[in-house]
Amino acid sequence: MSVCVTGGTGFLGAHVVRELVEAREQVRVVFRDSARLTRLGDLPHDPVQADLFDRAAMRRAVKGCDVLFHVAGFVGSRPADTAWRVNALGPRRAVEAAAAEGVRRVVVTSSVAGLGPAASDGIGTEADPYRGGGLGLVYMDSKHEGELEALAAGARLGIEVVIVNPSYVLGVPVDRSQPGETSTRVIGNYLRGRLPAVVDGRSDYVDVRDVARGHLRAAERGRAGERYVLGGTDSGWVALIERVAELSGVHHPVAVLPPALGSVARHAESVGLGPPIASEAIALMRLNWSYSSRKARSELGYRSRDLDVTLRDTIDWYAELIDAGALRGGITPLSLAALGMRVASATRVTNVARTVGRRAGLRLLAGE
């Protein structure tokens, strides 16, 4: 079978390519920047240069393929116009190119963000109503819009479209010499003493290898027009940082921010007093992203590994990068805030916060 992958030079996309190669498929990788092809190492593939919004180039890229994996996306909220263009419009353009060339099936990579946050006291599923409306979060809304556009285009053009919704993806890139992508940097920043705070919210964490394998299962077994959550282990952010500290033996003080701070941070940013952590990141982290993968397990045969395995692998990889001096340093608002936390810990100022938190029944510090 011949397959095409957009976003194949990214963190998740490269793992999808590797899974396809190991399954002995003929893989075509769409790229824009040829320098990024090195991220695929020695994986055999047919590189095709194309911009997602160049209709003719995309048709050439998918011509003769049986399946298109549209993994390309923009992980972030700024600039907002880029997020909307890539995440909201990109999936429709991919489906339209596939339809024009007779590609029978498209697997679109979304995110649990595209489903919206779960109820504050529950675990979400693909069937839940979208709860993101009115929150004004660019990444979440753009991913949700992209799903709707892709599904509508598939129905209109007679193409089988399957959506996969990974939870928070951790793990090691195919090219271990590369620095961390957005989702893994929380661990890298913690290990380097550059993570000043986390928000006391919940999420679901999954290994990039399991998500990549889930893409192939979705192509083989997924029902057209359906969404499938590809998750792993449900945990709070505080518990995740504590586990990283325990597994790595590295201990840095990290402030635990209350969920209500998200709206405060967004207001501060709007008047030019932005916090060291982007306000949208704080707003997203405070929400409940606990989602069930039961549907994927039942219909796709999807499985995920133990979170400790993923964390150990991620920690070991970051240790290699740190030892090799491969990670850029420099002074940033994030690093200054983290330095302030370490100074506070060294001078025992954090003892006050710990005592106050204990009396109030709150966790105000992690990682120590």
Side-chain angles (χ1 to χ4, degrees), residues 67-141:
V67 178
L68 168 62
F69 291 88
H70 178 58
V71 190
F74 184 78
V75 183
S77 59
R78 294 180 295 187
D81 58 345
T82 299
W84 277 102
R85 179 174 167 82
V86 175
N87 293 340
L89 181 57
R92 172 163 66 88
R93 287 295 183 88
V95 172
E96 289 172 344
E101 293 298 330
V103 179
R104 62 180 180 82
R105 172 162 284 217
V106 180
V107 177
V108 174
T109 307
S110 183
S111 163
V112 291
L115 299 173
S120 59
D121 58 349
I123 297 177
T125 73
E126 298 88 344
D128 289 354
Y130 181 65
R131 295 185 176 89
L135 296 178
L137 297 176
V138 172
Y139 179 69
M140 180 171 63
D141 286 343

Side-chain angles (χ1 to χ4, degrees), residues 115-119 122-128 131 229 288-293:
L115 299 173
I123 297 177
T125 73
E126 298 88 344
D128 289 354
R131 295 185 176 89
V229 170
N288 178 19
W289 298 106
S290 298
Y291 266 87
S292 170
S293 300

